[in-house]
Amino acid sequence: MSTAPACVTFLLLFVLPLVSSFLIPTRHHTRRLHSDVAGKERLEPLEPLEPTTQFDYEGRINDQYDSSAFRSGFVSIVGAPNMGKSTLLNELLDQDLCITTPRPQTTRHAIMAVLTSEEHQTQLAFIDTPGVIESPSYKLQSTMMEAVKGSLNQAEVIMVLSDVFSTVPLSEDDAILTRLQKTNQKVIVVVNKIDLLDKVKNFNSTTPDSTTSDSATPISNHNPLTSRTTSVPEAVAKWRMLLPNALAIIPISCTTKQNIPTLKRLLLAKPDVPAAFRDLGRPVPGTFAAGKTTVTDSEARDLFPVAPPLYPFDQMTDRTERFFASEIIRSVLFKKLGKELPYCCEVAVTAFTELEPDSKNKVRHLSANIVVERESQKGIVVGKKGAKVKEVGISSRQKLEEFFQDRIHLDLSVKVDKDWRKDDKKLQRYGYINKD
């Protein structure tokens, strides 16, 4: 009798399963990839599989979590320019990840930042978006607004950031406001800059015929889209009128960090969320939705679905070190140049040394081009005998060393790329339009 069938049977039953178990690492969860707002791949959980032999490998998502209780999801932060979106995100992360300047429209990209709390079994992926512009003037601004709209599509929670003066670049036919009013997604409104109220009161008290907030016409008698507010009650009333279904409207100060712990407790669904709101004092009318007196622990937990982590526990962003190097240099340009010129500038990193952990060379070599649109702009950036670009380089190097915790050797050049903000191909080259 031939031994061939017996050999085949032996291979199928014993050898092949053994080899497969070594070749294919098994996860507790199988994941499907799909595109997120920044054009990256996002992991979506499927049905859990029966666990078998576990293998460690680079890039593996930490699986030390309670699969029945772990929550994860996306938070889109939207609002007018210069409301403090990036500053708030840095405070929530306890990390200066996003660049901030006093100038509006500093943020050009939708930047994802991850906050993971193993203690509270939660992972949140925040999307810091550019400031909303009602009428984009050129192609770059249009792509920035597409990033804002794209972030809304992926988010479980939309966090609208305004200030105590209710600065909103909205009109009655504004697509984003209409989307927020009709959405089934959870909406939280954050009213920033409440630390400036004392300055407003002092200004009003010394201005003849000034109208104080106590004697101001009620917000309902104004066009709620264009009227300004000068007190927390007015700002809360305005936003409750605009977004009646918002879960909560929370006044904060990014400068003094006032009330930010309450916002963070709500997002992470830490124990006793109502107590955090009680610590804010007597709630302003409109703080909570109609018929509500607080946000319950159950409502806080329901902000995000029970789902495995989207990213490794030690990951903070989907952006590269090279990207943050360019952002840091660009933030220096905003501080060192005139009012309009920084908006014409782009920073392209052309060389970036990745240091190995055990490397004896502790100096990163970084080269970057400062890109402008006109020869006349190049002269201003370079300065007399190179003084201005040298000043930018010194300040940039100091900030880069602080960020990377390494010594930096920085080479800066200034290049002209005519009308780069209006050209699709050039915007694609600089990372503002995804390559198809």
Side-chain angles (χ1 to χ4, degrees), residues 1 20 37 61 68 76 79-80 103 180 196 202 219-220 239 244 274 291 302 311 345 378 385 405:
M1 180 178 177
S20 299
V37 297
I61 289 188
S68 66
S76 176
R103 304 281 189 84
L180 292 173
L196 299 180
N202 292 336
I219 191 72
S220 58
W239 280 104
D302 289 343
Y311 301 94
C345 295
K378 178 179 178 179
K385 296 183 179 181
Q405 294 296 297

Side-chain angles (χ1 to χ4, degrees), residues 227-369:
S227 58
R228 303 274 285 182
T229 56
T230 56
S231 71
V232 170
E234 286 182 353
V236 171
K238 173 174 180 174
W239 280 104
R240 182 55 66 187
M241 180 179 295
L242 291 172
L243 299 173
N245 294 324
L247 179 68
I249 302 174
I250 305 174
I252 69 162
S253 168
C254 288
T255 301
T256 65
K257 301 178 176 56
Q258 184 179 351
N259 299 345
I260 290 180
T262 298
L263 176 61
K264 193 169 183 177
R265 178 179 289 270
L266 170 62
L267 292 170
L268 291 175
K270 295 181 180 181
D272 206 352
V273 171
F277 279 103
R278 288 196 296 272
D279 289 342
L280 302 184
R282 186 174 180 178
V284 173
T287 298
F288 308 107
K292 300 284 187 177
T293 58
T294 190
V295 177
T296 66
D297 287 347
S298 176
E299 288 172 323
R301 286 192 297 270
D302 289 343
L303 285 174
F304 303 97
V306 174
L310 301 165
Y311 301 94
F313 280 12
D314 60 351
Q315 183 171 338
M316 286 200 67
T317 181
D318 61 344
R319 296 288 184 169
T320 64
E321 290 184 330
R322 181 185 290 250
F323 170 82
F324 285 106
S326 68
E327 287 287 277
I328 289 169
I329 298 170
R330 195 166 62 83
S331 72
V332 174
L333 290 172
F334 268 87
K335 296 174 181 177
K336 297 294 184 181
L337 299 179
K339 291 184 178 181
E340 298 300 328
L341 192 55
Y343 298 99
C344 305
C345 295
E346 174 62 21
V347 176
V349 175
T350 57
F352 186 88
T353 303
E354 300 282 355
L355 295 182
E356 297 296 332
D358 56 349
S359 173
K360 294 181 180 180
N361 178 19
K362 295 300 181 182
V363 180
R364 290 179 184 258
H365 290 268
L366 194 157
S367 299
N369 291 333

Side-chain angles (χ1 to χ4, degrees), residues 174-209:
D174 185 87
I176 293 179
L177 176 61
T178 301
R179 165 72 181 274
L180 292 173
Q181 291 172 333
K182 296 180 178 179
T183 185
N184 292 323
Q185 295 156 290
K186 303 293 194 305
V187 176
I188 298 171
V189 178
V190 179
V191 177
N192 190 21
K193 304 184 183 181
I194 60 175
D195 56 295
L196 299 180
L197 285 174
D198 288 339
K199 295 182 180 180
V200 173
K201 291 176 181 178
N202 292 336
F203 175 79
N204 284 336
S205 65
T206 58
T207 303
D209 299 325

Side-chain angles (χ1 to χ4, degrees), residues 115-233:
L115 174 63
T116 302
S117 173
E118 294 186 60
E119 178 185 358
H120 301 102
Q121 292 287 287
T122 302
Q123 185 181 81
L124 307 180
F126 293 93
I127 307 297
D128 180 23
T129 64
V132 176
I133 305 171
E134 184 178 354
S135 301
S137 300
Y138 40 86
K139 186 63 179 181
L140 172 60
Q141 290 185 339
S142 297
T143 63
M144 290 159 59
M145 293 308 95
E146 289 301 316
V148 176
K149 295 174 183 177
S151 74
L152 300 179
N153 295 331
Q154 293 290 336
E156 278 80 14
V157 172
I158 300 172
M159 191 155 63
V160 180
L161 186 61
S162 180
D163 61 15
V164 74
F165 311 111
S166 299
T167 305
V168 285
L170 302 173
S171 60
E172 292 181 359
D173 59 349
D174 185 87
I176 293 179
L177 176 61
T178 301
R179 165 72 181 274
L180 292 173
Q181 291 172 333
K182 296 180 178 179
T183 185
N184 292 323
Q185 295 156 290
K186 303 293 194 305
V187 176
I188 298 171
V189 178
V190 179
V191 177
N192 190 21
K193 304 184 183 181
I194 60 175
D195 56 295
L196 299 180
L197 285 174
D198 288 339
K199 295 182 180 180
V200 173
K201 291 176 181 178
N202 292 336
F203 175 79
N204 284 336
S205 65
T206 58
T207 303
D209 299 325
S210 62
T211 303
T212 64
S213 59
D214 292 335
S215 60
T217 305
I219 191 72
S220 58
N221 291 342
H222 289 296
N223 181 342
L225 290 168
T226 59
S227 58
R228 303 274 285 182
T229 56
T230 56
S231 71
V232 170

Side-chain angles (χ1 to χ4, degrees), residues 78-94:
V78 299
N82 210 29
M83 291 296 99
K85 295 183 290 297
S86 297
T87 305
L88 174 59
L89 180 53
N90 288 342
E91 291 297 334
L92 291 171
L93 297 173
D94 292 324

Side-chain angles (χ1 to χ4, degrees), residues 49-106:
L49 303 177
E50 289 296 326
T52 56
T53 306
Q54 296 287 313
F55 295 90
D56 290 329
Y57 53 90
E58 186 177 356
R60 180 186 176 87
I61 289 188
N62 189 321
D63 58 2
Q64 300 303 311
Y65 60 89
D66 182 355
S67 60
S68 66
F70 198 93
R71 302 155 54 251
S72 63
F74 284 85
V75 182
S76 176
I77 307 176
V78 299
N82 210 29
M83 291 296 99
K85 295 183 290 297
S86 297
T87 305
L88 174 59
L89 180 53
N90 288 342
E91 291 297 334
L92 291 171
L93 297 173
D94 292 324
Q95 174 90 19
D96 287 337
L97 187 67
C98 302
I99 66 170
T100 60
T101 77
R103 304 281 189 84
Q105 284 297 330
T106 301

